[in-house]
Amino acid sequence: MAVLLNGRRLAKSLAPGLRVRIAALQRAPGLAVIQVGEDPASSVYVKRKRARAERLGFHQVSLHLSADISQESLEAQVDALNADDTVDAILVQLPLPAHLDSTAILDRIQPDKDVDGFHPWSAGLLSQGRPHLVPCTPRGVMVMLADAEVSLSGANAVVIGRSNIVGRPMAMLLEQANATVTVCHSRTRNVAEIVGRADVVVAAVGRPGFVQGSWLKEGAVVVDVGINRLDDGSLCGDVEFASAEARASYITPVPGGVGPMTIAMLMENTVRAAEERQSS
Ligand code: GUN
């Protein structure tokens, strides 16, 4: 039976260290969050991010914009936040409504305020192994693995999913920790067989219960990034939990696994951006 990787507890344990760093700043770290429209999942995530930022005493700018905002108006909002000296970090909650060009919006965020690490400058630095601000979810996964003292050097790691938000940066971080990394995606053949060779599996596909326990090597470490809402309103990961728990050595629950770590890393990235901006 696997040991649960408790992201909620780990995220909480990081707060005191963060408070010390915040106290050393000349002014409170400034986090701006832009939400466009009423996507229910986005509303939940934004609320959680704001609540955590509030508890840490951040200066916050919250923009909740209408779903029919134009590209030009949204870009003007980003420009204003870029120019606002009290704002150290800018987050645009994804997904944006379909009529908007997300890439152009993310490209417009000043790289030193790119708290999500989605700007090509941040992604390029990460790909070269000299990371600046690293996407929050994969970074949170690395902190969880380190906390559990999971040995990555020489390990076979399989990442399922190749998004710019999770899969791609996750693969880079694992590779930079000296794992041998395989990335699976929607066109991959024999995903089960590939997962069966993995010492570490990170599932980020957005399909409830996609990874089955029977695929896993005995003793594998299983990280479930999926947050899927089922018809009955309950949350479920990308891993079939009961069967996976029986074979894994460590496994992250959903909820209470990776989710709280994403928010903790957002707070840490905001403090980091503030430290760098305030010392320059
Ligand atoms: N939507 C899903 N995950 C994320 C994330 O990490 N950051 C932002 N901005 N939007 C998201």
mmCIF file of all heavy atoms in Angstrom, residues 49 91-94 116 118 165, ligand 1:
data_model
loop_
_atom_site.group_PDB
_atom_site.id
_atom_site.type_symbol
_atom_site.label_atom_id
_atom_site.label_comp_id
_atom_site.label_asym_id
_atom_site.label_seq_id
_atom_site.Cartn_x
_atom_site.Cartn_y
_atom_site.Cartn_z
ATOM 1 N N LYS A 49 -6.171 31.163 -4.791
ATOM 2 C CA LYS A 49 -4.912 31.902 -4.915
ATOM 3 C C LYS A 49 -5.012 33.221 -4.147
ATOM 4 O O LYS A 49 -4.108 33.606 -3.413
ATOM 5 C CB LYS A 49 -4.605 32.180 -6.402
ATOM 6 C CG LYS A 49 -4.235 30.911 -7.179
ATOM 7 C CD LYS A 49 -4.187 31.137 -8.684
ATOM 8 C CE LYS A 49 -3.889 29.823 -9.418
ATOM 9 N NZ LYS A 49 -3.864 29.949 -10.883
ATOM 10 N N LEU A 91 -0.541 37.287 -13.168
ATOM 11 C CA LEU A 91 -1.062 35.967 -13.543
ATOM 12 C C LEU A 91 -2.345 36.145 -14.349
ATOM 13 O O LEU A 91 -3.256 36.841 -13.914
ATOM 14 C CB LEU A 91 -1.347 35.169 -12.264
ATOM 15 C CG LEU A 91 -1.899 33.758 -12.420
ATOM 16 C CD1 LEU A 91 -1.434 32.902 -11.252
ATOM 17 C CD2 LEU A 91 -3.423 33.722 -12.493
ATOM 18 N N VAL A 92 -2.375 35.547 -15.522
ATOM 19 C CA VAL A 92 -3.608 35.521 -16.320
ATOM 20 C C VAL A 92 -4.163 34.106 -16.215
ATOM 21 O O VAL A 92 -3.527 33.145 -16.671
ATOM 22 C CB VAL A 92 -3.335 35.879 -17.794
ATOM 23 C CG1 VAL A 92 -4.625 35.784 -18.615
ATOM 24 C CG2 VAL A 92 -2.737 37.284 -17.908
ATOM 25 N N GLN A 93 -5.298 33.965 -15.574
ATOM 26 C CA GLN A 93 -5.862 32.622 -15.374
ATOM 27 C C GLN A 93 -6.308 32.037 -16.714
ATOM 28 O O GLN A 93 -7.022 32.680 -17.481
ATOM 29 C CB GLN A 93 -7.045 32.689 -14.392
ATOM 30 C CG GLN A 93 -7.590 31.333 -13.990
ATOM 31 C CD GLN A 93 -6.593 30.475 -13.218
ATOM 32 O OE1 GLN A 93 -5.756 30.981 -12.477
ATOM 33 N NE2 GLN A 93 -6.660 29.169 -13.393
ATOM 34 N N LEU A 94 -5.900 30.831 -17.000
ATOM 35 C CA LEU A 94 -6.258 30.125 -18.231
ATOM 36 C C LEU A 94 -7.315 29.070 -17.918
ATOM 37 O O LEU A 94 -7.372 28.591 -16.792
ATOM 38 C CB LEU A 94 -5.006 29.471 -18.827
ATOM 39 C CG LEU A 94 -3.845 30.428 -19.147
ATOM 40 C CD1 LEU A 94 -2.637 29.634 -19.626
ATOM 41 C CD2 LEU A 94 -4.256 31.456 -20.181
ATOM 42 N N ASP A 116 3.823 32.881 -13.576
ATOM 43 C CA ASP A 116 3.458 31.525 -13.998
ATOM 44 C C ASP A 116 4.562 30.856 -14.809
ATOM 45 O O ASP A 116 4.484 29.650 -15.083
ATOM 46 C CB ASP A 116 2.185 31.566 -14.858
ATOM 47 C CG ASP A 116 0.930 31.191 -14.079
ATOM 48 O OD1 ASP A 116 1.030 30.356 -13.164
ATOM 49 O OD2 ASP A 116 -0.148 31.725 -14.404
ATOM 50 N N PHE A 118 5.126 31.234 -17.985
ATOM 51 C CA PHE A 118 4.613 30.823 -19.299
ATOM 52 C C PHE A 118 5.167 31.656 -20.459
ATOM 53 O O PHE A 118 4.927 31.351 -21.616
ATOM 54 C CB PHE A 118 3.078 30.903 -19.342
ATOM 55 C CG PHE A 118 2.371 29.985 -18.373
ATOM 56 C CD1 PHE A 118 1.039 30.222 -18.022
ATOM 57 C CD2 PHE A 118 3.015 28.880 -17.834
ATOM 58 C CE1 PHE A 118 0.374 29.378 -17.137
ATOM 59 C CE2 PHE A 118 2.349 28.025 -16.946
ATOM 60 C CZ PHE A 118 1.028 28.277 -16.602
ATOM 61 N N ILE A 165 1.926 24.193 -19.735
ATOM 62 C CA ILE A 165 1.667 24.511 -18.327
ATOM 63 C C ILE A 165 2.243 23.441 -17.413
ATOM 64 O O ILE A 165 2.792 23.738 -16.358
ATOM 65 C CB ILE A 165 0.143 24.657 -18.098
ATOM 66 C CG1 ILE A 165 -0.380 25.861 -18.892
ATOM 67 C CG2 ILE A 165 -0.200 24.789 -16.631
ATOM 68 C CD1 ILE A 165 -1.872 26.097 -18.747
HETATM 69 N N1 GUN B 1 -5.038 27.151 -15.630
HETATM 70 C C1 GUN B 1 -4.739 25.898 -15.251
HETATM 71 N N2 GUN B 1 -3.564 25.876 -14.575
HETATM 72 C C2 GUN B 1 -3.120 27.140 -14.555
HETATM 73 C C3 GUN B 1 -1.965 27.761 -13.998
HETATM 74 O O1 GUN B 1 -1.077 27.140 -13.395
HETATM 75 N N3 GUN B 1 -1.874 29.102 -14.163
HETATM 76 C C4 GUN B 1 -2.806 29.801 -14.836
HETATM 77 N N4 GUN B 1 -2.611 31.111 -14.973
HETATM 78 N N5 GUN B 1 -3.884 29.269 -15.359
HETATM 79 C C5 GUN B 1 -4.027 27.932 -15.215
#
